[in-house]
Amino acid sequence: MLNQNPKFDLMFQALADPTRRAMIDRLSRGPASVSELAKPFDMSLPAVVQHLQALEASGLVSSQKVGRVRTCKIEPEALSQAEQWLNERRTLWVNRLDRLGEYLAATADEEEGK
Amino acid sequence: MLNQNPKFDLMFQALADPTRRAMIDRLSRGPASVSELAKPFDMSLPAVVQHLQALEASGLVSSQKVGRVRTCKIEPEALSQAEQWLNERRTLWVNRLDRLGEYLAATADEEEGK
DNA sequence: ATTTTGGTTAAGCATGGAATTAAGTAACAA
DNA sequence: TTGTTACTTAATTCCATGCTTAACCAAAAT
């Protein structure tokens, strides 16, 4: 299916939960089955699967089932899209600050040299 | 107060809402008052202020009141922290993929040369 | 002094999210 | 073939979120 347009609502929503961030953290170290993913959490399996669904719906994680085990992995492109959204806004702001700094410096120079 | 520890729950929660992302987008172009921020939205002022509170609680935005107008601005450090969280996990995964690629390549070479 | 502007507080409502338990299915193992 | 493993589905509960209106307050303008 390879849907490429970023679903920021779902992505950031998915990232807002500590359980789901822990899952991403785990998956960043390599693929895992559902029950492997569930092991660290004091939580029913259906609860874990619901978190997983949130992660998949957002595109941050994908999975495929072989036999009876579903293996999950990170989708780095999606992570990257969220990253970029933040980066663009931040650099816009920071560059604006820089230009303001230059302007103030220039103005000060003029004052000095007048 | 200058609290420096990242509140990822609140940050990503704040980012999950399109109205709040639009506000950050607006603020990336420069500071704004509450009513300036509210203008683009078809929404009551209290609703906008509640969004703003979510943004401030997360640390992504700060504001200060002078006279009766409250001026809001982006906190680039907070943006950066969220960005880094994503980046660290993504690069971990990608590097792992690279090493796996190298391993497979090396194995193929051995096969070839045996 | 009165009105307008810019924002705040509070109460209430509707929807959605995180968890549970219980029951079901399908693959693999003995 | 019978049991165990690895999930899946469904129903339910409970709390959080996003929004509304109404009433309020204090600074600025007239």
Side-chain angles (χ1 to χ4, degrees), chain B residues 43-93:
Chain B
M43 193 183 294
S44 70
L45 202 99
V48 169
V49 172
Q50 282 176 39
H51 283 301
L52 206 42
Q53 285 167 350
L55 287 167
E56 288 208 51
S58 75
L60 290 167
V61 164
S62 69
S63 74
Q64 63 174 28
K65 200 169 179 176
V66 172
R68 62 183 168 171
V69 6
R70 173 173 302 279
T71 305
C72 309
K73 68 178 188 30
I74 276 191
E75 286 298 326
E77 255 315 303
L79 278 262
S80 174
Q81 286 166 349
E83 221 177 308
Q84 277 174 50
W85 192 94
L86 294 163
N87 189 268
E88 285 162 14
R89 273 78 197 168
R90 187 176 58 83
T91 55
L92 237 175
W93 171 265

Side-chain angles (χ1 to χ4, degrees), chain A residues 1-32 37 50-64 71-86, chain B residues 8 12-13 15-16 21 82-83 85-87 89-91 93-94 97:
Chain A
M1 199 240 245
L2 204 59
N3 195 348
Q4 179 67 351
N5 64 325
K7 295 167 274 190
F8 291 118
D9 281 35
L10 297 177
M11 281 190 200
F12 288 123
Q13 184 65 36
L15 290 165
D17 186 280
T19 303
R20 290 193 290 259
R21 283 200 309 280
M23 287 177 172
I24 292 187
D25 208 54
R26 164 65 188 79
L27 290 176
S28 73
R29 279 151 182 96
L37 267 184
Q50 283 180 52
H51 283 300
L52 206 42
Q53 284 167 349
L55 287 167
E56 289 208 50
S58 76
L60 290 168
V61 164
S62 69
S63 73
Q64 62 173 28
T71 304
C72 310
K73 69 180 189 27
I74 277 191
E75 286 298 327
E77 256 315 304
L79 276 263
S80 174
Q81 286 166 348
E83 221 178 307
Q84 276 175 49
W85 192 94
L86 294 163
Chain B
F8 291 118
F12 288 123
Q13 183 68 21
L15 290 165
R21 284 199 309 280
E83 221 177 308
W85 192 94
L86 294 163
N87 189 268
R89 273 78 197 168
R90 187 176 58 83
T91 55
W93 171 265
V94 170
L97 274 192

